[in-house]
Amino acid sequence: MIEKIRGITASAVAAADKAGTVRELEELRVEVLGKKGSMTQILKGMGALPPDERPLMGQAANDARAEIEKRLEARQAVLRMAELEERLANEVIDVTMPGRAQKPGGRHPMTIMIEDLCRIFTGMGYEIAEGPEIETDYNNFIALNTPEHHSSRDEQDTFYMEGDGGFLLRTQTSPMQVRYMMRNRPPIRVICPGKVFRSDEIDATHTPVFHQMEGLVVDKGITLGHLKGALTTFARELFGADTAVRFRPHYFPFTEPSGEMDVRCYMCLGKGCRVCKGEGWVELLGCGMVHPNVLKMRDIDPDVYSGFAFGMGLERVALARFRIPDIRILFENDVRFLRQFA
């Protein structure tokens, strides 16, 4: 058996010296020293030897194993060095060649817009709340004093989910105001930014998917003067201290009285142009005092509390802020346009 061990050792050493890759060495190691290897089988058969021969055979087997492992390690070191030298030769980097310029990205103008608005309103003491884009008909319309057959729903035609349950893609972020009033009691000061959906045709001022920010204040003694003061402060923080604003009567089912706020046209500065349609003013947002019915549906007593709400399309605000003539450029991904905001 000692002769057999010597034969296996000599054969393994010769095979190790001839191995051309690390993989071949590993296969050889498994073949000789693995669980089913030739040397392992000999060690398993030692139990059948006479007791006086076992120490000699054990010593011979251990010496052979050590010699084979030593030769495998030595050959592996040689092969790994050869592989490294080959990689260094094939992966030479010409340090004299000009490198590839790194082009840092930048925030999208809509991201800038949302962050700036949140900064302004949180600085005025408002909280930020966000909600789901798939809403119930109740939260999107009914809880905002807009029953099923109300004519104002036609202006907010949206995308409805198939099946029962009354789910739809929200047409405004006002449902988040409903959700917030369900979980919180007055005093309330909150803004709700997010994405909304309407089946509008795409033109210079409309898209079927856009961003909106709603605001809600509910407390004792809130008046129309608070509404005008808060929105005028917001406009001047965003567009500059000399920004001119005006308020016009309007109708919304969830506020009474209701109005719209305009800013002086950002393209012609009030002289009249294509953007403002010759009027010198551009509509910025809708607003009004929270309708008593909306407060009652949230178990808030309108005889004790009052409030105001407002909502604005953020793309339209971005047009005014950055003096952009067409809303479509915000989502056409023209690098020449986006690079200005990097």
Side-chain angles (χ1 to χ4, degrees):
M1 187 172 287
I2 291 180
E3 291 299 324
K4 188 174 183 180
I5 291 175
R6 290 174 179 171
I8 292 174
T9 303
S11 177
V13 168
D17 292 340
K18 293 179 180 179
T21 64
V22 174
R23 182 176 180 179
E24 290 180 9
L25 280 179
E26 178 61 19
E27 292 175 353
L28 177 62
R29 185 193 67 77
V30 173
E31 181 183 343
V32 178
L33 304 179
K35 291 183 179 180
K36 297 181 180 180
S38 53
M39 187 64 70
T40 305
Q41 297 302 317
I42 290 177
L43 293 174
K44 288 181 178 179
M46 289 180 58
L49 296 175
D52 57 335
E53 295 183 12
R54 292 176 189 172
L56 294 176
M57 292 297 299
Q59 183 64 44
N62 288 333
D63 291 345
R65 186 182 188 89
E67 183 178 354
I68 293 171
E69 288 179 345
K70 182 178 179 181
R71 189 59 64 92
L72 290 172
E73 291 175 1
R75 184 58 180 170
Q76 185 180 61
V78 172
L79 293 175
R80 289 197 181 280
M81 181 59 69
E83 289 179 357
L84 177 60
E85 291 176 353
E86 183 180 358
R87 286 183 59 191
L88 292 174
N90 295 333
E91 299 178 7
V92 174
I93 299 175
D94 186 352
V95 296
T96 65
M97 293 182 64
R100 295 181 179 178
Q102 297 295 320
K103 297 180 179 179
R107 293 180 300 164
H108 191 276
M110 287 309 304
T111 301
I112 297 174
M113 191 76 266
I114 294 171
E115 291 177 351
D116 284 352
L117 291 180
C118 289
R119 174 184 53 80
I120 290 172
F121 281 105
T122 54
M124 295 167 63
Y126 288 70
E127 296 182 38
I128 300 174
E130 295 179 319
E133 295 177 359
I134 297 178
E135 263 293 0
T136 62
D137 184 86
Y138 178 83
N139 286 343
N140 196 82
F141 289 119
I142 297 175
L144 295 168
N145 202 37
T146 311
E148 184 175 355
H149 299 293
H150 199 284
S151 59
S152 65
R153 288 195 180 207
D154 296 338
E155 299 178 2
Q156 297 190 31
D157 193 17
T158 184
F159 303 91
Y160 288 83
M161 306 292 107
E162 292 184 357
D164 298 330
F167 289 98
L168 50 83
L169 295 181
R170 65 183 180 185
T171 64
Q172 53 198 353
T173 52
S174 299
M176 192 56 220
Q177 297 180 13
V178 175
R179 291 175 176 271
Y180 192 87
M181 285 190 286
M182 290 173 63
R183 299 194 301 264
N184 299 273
R185 305 304 298 171
I188 293 172
R189 287 174 177 80
V190 63
I191 55 172
C192 311
K195 192 179 297 181
V196 298
F197 309 82
R198 298 182 188 179
S199 57
D200 290 339
E201 295 291 334
I202 298 177
D203 58 29
T205 57
H206 296 85
T207 62
V209 182
F210 58 98
H211 296 81
Q212 200 175 62
M213 178 178 286
E214 305 278 341
L216 174 69
V217 173
V218 179
D219 204 346
K220 295 179 180 179
I222 298 297
T223 67
L224 199 60
H226 293 108
L227 165 62
K228 183 177 179 181
L231 294 182
T232 301
T233 299
F234 144 71
R236 290 176 178 169
E237 280 285 325
L238 187 65
F239 300 114
D242 58 346
T243 299
V245 301
R246 74 175 185 182
F247 292 84
R248 296 179 289 104
H250 195 67
Y251 170 76
F252 297 109
F254 36 82
T255 53
E256 179 61 37
S258 303
E260 288 185 336
M261 187 180 83
D262 302 334
V263 294
R264 183 161 291 164
C265 180
Y266 46 89
M267 296 302 292
C268 66
L269 301 180
K271 297 178 181 179
C273 66
R274 180 180 65 87
V275 174
C276 64
K277 300 178 181 178
E279 295 183 1
W281 297 88
V282 176
E283 175 193 337
L284 191 67
L285 56 83
C287 56
M289 303 300 293
V290 179
H291 198 291
N293 289 347
V294 175
L295 296 176
K296 289 178 182 178
M297 282 190 278
R298 300 278 67 79
D299 295 325
I300 298 175
D301 188 349
D303 294 328
V304 178
Y305 293 99
S306 58
F308 66 81
F310 57 88
M312 66 190 87
L314 300 187
E315 279 78 2
R316 187 167 295 179
V317 179
L319 297 187
R321 171 74 181 282
F322 301 120
R323 298 191 175 184
I324 300 170
D326 194 315
I327 197 173
R328 288 169 288 196
I329 197 172
L330 289 171
F331 55 86
E332 287 177 344
N333 297 325
D334 189 327
V335 177
R336 295 169 299 177
F337 167 73
L338 298 175
R339 191 178 291 126
Q340 301 176 69
F341 302 91

